[in-house]
Amino acid sequence: MTVQHSRLDLSEIGYYLYTIFLFIQNDILTAIIPVILFSIASAPLCSSIQILPTTLWILLHILQFDLANQIKAPEEDRLNKPSRPIPAGRISVRDATILRWLIAPLCLAYSSLYSIQLVFSSLEMQLFTYWYNELDGDKNWLSKNAILAIMYGCTELGGTLIAGCDPSRVTETTKLAVQLTIAVFTSTVHCQDFKDVEGDRLTGRRTVPIMFPITSRLVVGLGLPIWSYLLCCIWDIDWLCTLAFVAYGCFVGGRFLCLRTRDADKRSCKYYSIWFSLHHLLPGYWNYFHDSDDVRVGELLQKTWDLFSGTSLLKAF
């Protein structure tokens, strides 16, 4: 009887853990892995033991966002993502809502174990999560992209604080890296919306591909190669890696331009996720091959300004 009871408990635990996994499954490539890589590369990592608490902090905050997002429009998921827990019948909207509001204070409590700065990162993440979901910030394409980008930056900042040796501060290099990520994410995040156009129309969401069907693809087709080159210049990547990264950006951007079916967009989104993950490693390249003192960071900031202001192009002529 005891053996049967323990097996039943284990199967129930497995069931609930798998249900939680299904909530975050679609964000593994687009958010979880990139942010973990960014945190490790940008901190830089204090010790290998820090990978575990860093990963846990990131998972908790992405889970609370996914819960808030998926309890909002289950009818959309029935069309676009029927394998998610709510449309699949693994958990009710009511139970998912309770879990969502239980995890919110847990995120703050876990952050408080490290520093007040990490608590503020967690709180910012939760405020923008509330704006995005409960206040319908996702209905308009401009607010949707901006809020997602800021939340992405908050998650990266929090992960970097835990991964580093001092959870109360980050380097100037990390600050620049977070700002660049927000800029890249804001201008390219609609790559993830091409495959969901039908469901977004059903819920009245006005995403970039719906509002600007042709321009949105041109922005991605040209933006990914341009961003690839700019990021490699900013982080002083060697010419061989720059060539490979720019070529991959051209490949992904070209797919979005030329292949426009829903299945093609799903595959292109996966390639985009890989590109986005790779760009998170570039600050680590800088940290590894350059000194991280203020002089070198000052040079990096000046180089960034020159690239975006066009000064470097004028000097070339």
Side-chain angles (χ1 to χ4, degrees):
M1 190 73 174
T2 306
V3 175
Q4 290 180 345
H5 182 68
S6 63
R7 286 178 179 175
L8 182 61
D9 288 343
L10 288 175
S11 65
E12 287 181 350
I13 292 172
Y15 179 89
Y16 293 129
L17 288 177
Y18 186 65
T19 300
I20 290 174
F21 167 77
L22 289 176
F23 273 111
I24 63 173
Q25 183 180 22
N26 290 321
D27 284 329
I28 291 175
L29 288 179
T30 58
I32 295 172
I33 291 177
V35 174
I36 292 173
L37 291 176
F38 178 92
S39 302
I40 293 172
S42 297
L45 188 67
C46 186
S47 69
S48 57
I49 262 186
Q50 292 302 108
I51 294 176
L52 290 177
T54 300
T55 301
L56 179 59
W57 192 90
I58 293 168
L59 286 174
L60 281 174
H61 286 77
I62 290 179
L63 175 60
Q64 65 95 22
F65 171 81
D66 285 337
L67 284 164
N69 183 248
Q70 293 177 37
I71 63 179
K72 179 182 179 180
E75 66 278 2
E76 177 191 349
D77 286 339
R78 289 190 184 94
L79 179 63
N80 283 337
K81 302 176 180 77
S83 62
R84 282 182 168 178
I86 295 175
R90 297 182 66 91
I91 189 172
S92 67
V93 173
R94 177 182 175 276
D95 290 343
T97 303
I98 293 172
L99 182 60
R100 179 254 194 277
W101 289 110
L102 285 175
I103 287 181
L106 178 61
C107 290
L108 291 172
Y110 183 50
S111 300
S112 68
L113 297 176
Y114 291 89
S115 67
I116 188 64
Q117 288 80 6
L118 195 59
V119 172
F120 279 124
S121 292
S122 177
L123 183 59
E124 288 173 9
M125 178 71 178
Q126 296 190 41
L127 289 175
F128 281 107
T129 294
Y130 188 80
W131 182 6
Y132 185 89
N133 294 292
E134 279 80 4
L135 299 182
D136 292 333
D138 63 329
K139 293 296 184 183
N140 179 272
W141 66 270
L142 184 59
S143 61
K144 177 180 186 290
N145 286 14
I147 294 171
L148 283 175
I150 293 171
M151 285 194 296
Y152 213 103
C154 290
T155 311
E156 288 183 337
L157 188 60
T160 305
L161 282 169
I162 295 185
C165 295
D166 184 355
S168 65
R169 64 178 296 274
V170 294
T171 64
E172 292 299 320
T173 303
T174 298
K175 293 177 184 177
L176 175 62
V178 170
Q179 292 166 0
L180 287 172
T181 295
I182 291 174
V184 172
F185 196 70
T186 302
S187 57
T188 63
V189 65
H190 62 275
C191 287
Q192 302 174 18
D193 294 328
F194 288 115
K195 66 184 188 305
D196 296 330
V197 167
E198 294 179 17
D200 289 336
R201 281 202 182 100
L202 180 68
T203 58
R205 189 177 290 147
R206 302 169 65 192
T207 61
V208 174
I210 292 175
M211 299 296 296
F212 313 101
I214 297 176
T215 305
S216 59
R217 291 189 181 271
L218 287 173
V219 168
V220 172
L222 297 175
L224 292 184
I226 291 173
W227 268 122
S228 299
Y229 177 72
L230 287 176
L231 291 168
C232 287
C233 290
I234 290 169
W235 297 115
D236 202 19
I237 308 300
D238 66 82
W239 69 269
L240 186 60
C241 292
T242 298
L243 183 63
F245 192 52
V246 172
Y248 186 68
C250 291
F251 164 72
V252 180
R255 278 190 60 93
F256 280 109
L257 269 176
C258 302
L259 305 176
R260 306 187 179 190
T261 65
R262 187 184 179 193
D263 288 339
D265 284 334
K266 284 183 177 180
R267 184 168 292 276
S268 296
C269 186
K270 292 180 180 179
Y271 291 136
Y272 165 76
S273 298
I274 295 173
W275 178 88
F276 198 66
S277 295
L278 290 173
H279 117 261
H280 281 76
L281 294 173
L282 301 185
Y285 183 99
W286 172 270
N287 283 332
Y288 185 80
F289 287 102
H290 299 277
D291 295 329
S292 59
D293 56 26
D294 292 336
V295 176
R296 298 299 297 177
V297 173
E299 293 176 8
L300 185 58
L301 292 170
Q302 184 61 47
K303 182 184 293 187
T304 305
W305 169 252
D306 289 345
L307 280 168
F308 282 97
S309 65
T311 305
S312 59
L313 293 177
L314 291 176
K315 288 178 180 178
F317 289 99

